[in-house]
Amino acid sequence: MLKKFLKEVIVIVVGKPAEDISDLLYTKKHVNEFLIAKKLDITINQTRNILYKISDHGLVSSIRKKDKKKGWYTYFWRIEVLKSLEFLENVLIKRKNQINNQINNRETREFYFCKSCNIEFNQENALLNNFTCNECGGIFDLRDNTKLLKELKKNSTKIGNELNLIEEEIKKEKIRLEKERQREIVKVKKKAAEARKAREVERKKALRKVPKKLVKKKTAKTKKRTKKKIKKKSVEKKFKKIVKESGKKSVKKR
Ligand SMILES: [Zn+2]
C-alpha cells in the first residue's frame, strides 16, 4: 500500500512516465543517481531533472560524495516517506474539498443547458439569457444532476477511503521514525560511554607511569648509562693514546 502511495506522489509531481523512480528511491540507504539513470534507462541529466523536481517539494533527500580520482560530486538519493505521505494527504484533502463543493453546488442549485451546443449555465445566467441559447436560439433544458451527483459522491468516498489508509501509513511511519530515533540515541549514548571509559583507562595508565619507584629506577639506570659512557670514552682515549704513542715509536724505529 505504501509503495502505491509513493508512486502516486511521484505521478503527481513529475508525471506518469517517471513513476518507476519511486520504487528505486524507496530504500534505507541513499541510491547513486547513476544507478537510477541506468535502471530507468534514461540519461543522467533526465534523471537529475526528475530528482530536482521532486526535491523542490522536499520529498527526497540526498547526500553527495566526492569522486577522489575525477574530483566531481556524485549524489545519492532517497525518498522521504513521511513527507511524501503528508504531501499526498494534502493533495487529496484539497481534491476531496473541491468535489464536495461541487456536490453541494449540484444539490442546492439548478443548472440549465443547451442540448445541441452542450453549453451549461447556472440559474442566474440562464435567467439573464432568457433561457434561450445565444448560439443556436434553442431553449435550455433543466439539467438532471442525478448521474453526475452519483459520480461525484462515489469519487468523494473513494478519496475519503484513501485518506484513511494514508493516515494509517503516516502513523506507522511516525512510529518507525521514533523507533529509529530511539535506536540512534542509544547508539550515541553507548559511544559516549565508551569514549568516557577509554579516557578513564588512559588517565589511569598515565597515572601508573609516574610512580616514584619507577622514577628512581629510571634515574639509577640513566646514571649507570652515563657512567658506562664515560668509561667508554676514557677507554677510547687511552686506546688512541696508545696508538699515537706506538705510531711515534714506529716512526722513531724507522
Ligand atoms: Zn445552443
Side-chain angles (χ1 to χ4, degrees):
M1 196 49 87
L2 177 61
K3 276 189 171 186
K4 185 190 147 260
F5 290 143
L6 295 179
K7 198 165 261 186
E8 211 175 323
V9 170
I10 297 298
V11 171
I12 291 168
V13 178
V14 284
K16 185 94 179 153
E19 69 173 353
D20 287 340
I21 204 171
S22 78
D23 283 348
L24 298 174
L25 290 172
Y26 177 51
T27 53
K28 234 180 188 177
K29 278 186 180 174
H30 291 80
V31 196
N32 189 326
E33 55 187 358
F34 285 94
L35 188 72
I36 296 172
K38 199 184 163 193
K39 286 201 171 163
L40 291 178
D41 198 22
I42 54 176
T43 67
I44 187 67
N45 282 334
Q46 286 169 323
T47 308
R48 283 177 183 152
N49 281 336
I50 293 169
L51 289 166
Y52 294 156
K53 267 190 205 167
I54 307 170
S55 177
D56 283 343
H57 291 85
L59 307 180
V60 278
S61 62
S62 63
I63 49 169
R64 59 175 199 177
K65 284 180 192 166
K66 196 170 185 177
D67 188 313
K68 276 173 191 161
K69 278 179 200 163
K70 290 159 190 161
W72 64 43
Y73 285 105
T74 302
Y75 282 81
F76 295 71
W77 303 81
R78 187 182 70 184
I79 199 159
E80 289 299 316
V81 173
L82 184 61
K83 282 178 187 165
S84 297
L85 287 172
E86 285 171 344
F87 172 85
L88 184 60
E89 189 183 34
N90 282 330
V91 169
L92 292 183
I93 286 173
K94 272 182 202 159
R95 213 178 272 174
K96 197 183 165 207
N97 286 342
Q98 275 174 358
I99 292 175
N100 288 347
N101 280 339
Q102 270 179 287
I103 291 172
N104 190 41
N105 239 352
R106 292 283 154 181
E107 277 176 342
T108 55
R109 293 177 184 193
E110 285 181 336
F111 290 84
Y112 294 86
F113 74 109
C114 170
K115 235 184 223 167
S116 41
C117 304
N118 204 21
I119 311 172
E120 192 180 66
F121 296 86
N122 60 27
Q123 201 171 17
E124 296 80 32
N125 287 331
L127 199 65
L128 280 174
N129 283 296
N130 221 0
F131 298 95
T132 315
C133 180
N134 278 335
E135 302 291 321
C136 68
I139 305 292
F140 290 158
D141 283 316
L142 181 68
R143 173 82 85 189
D144 176 13
N145 289 319
T146 321
K147 221 177 166 184
L148 184 62
L149 271 171
K150 204 178 163 190
E151 197 63 35
L152 287 172
K153 281 176 181 169
K154 202 174 123 191
N155 270 340
S156 178
T157 311
K158 197 182 154 199
I159 293 175
N161 290 339
E162 198 175 346
L163 277 169
N164 288 339
L165 291 173
I166 290 169
E167 196 55 49
E168 287 295 309
E169 292 295 336
I170 286 176
K171 266 185 209 159
K172 268 195 239 166
E173 181 63 12
K174 277 184 179 167
I175 290 168
R176 198 189 66 75
L177 285 175
E178 180 56 26
K179 273 185 189 164
E180 202 177 272
R181 205 177 66 90
Q182 293 297 343
R183 270 202 300 275
E184 206 55 43
I185 289 171
V186 170
K187 227 191 257 174
V188 169
K189 274 186 181 167
K190 206 175 161 192
K191 251 187 193 170
E194 274 168 11
R196 237 188 343 262
K197 215 175 175 183
R199 269 203 306 276
E200 194 61 25
V201 169
E202 281 303 311
R203 203 173 62 86
K204 276 183 183 163
K205 251 191 208 169
L207 279 177
R208 233 180 282 137
K209 267 181 191 167
V210 205
K212 276 177 188 173
K213 270 186 192 170
L214 262 179
V215 175
K216 267 185 185 170
K217 237 185 189 176
K218 241 188 185 174
T219 351
K221 250 188 192 173
T222 328
K223 269 182 190 167
K224 237 184 190 175
R225 216 178 292 147
T226 332
K227 264 184 194 169
K228 258 188 190 172
K229 263 187 194 168
I230 293 164
K231 219 178 176 183
K232 209 180 171 188
K233 261 188 187 170
S234 57
V235 169
E236 269 173 2
K237 249 185 193 173
K238 269 181 192 170
F239 182 68
K240 271 181 190 169
K241 212 177 173 184
I242 291 164
V243 171
K244 221 178 179 182
E245 274 170 6
S246 67
K248 272 179 193 171
K249 272 178 194 171
S250 61
V251 170
K252 270 181 189 173
K253 267 183 188 173
R254 272 178 201 169

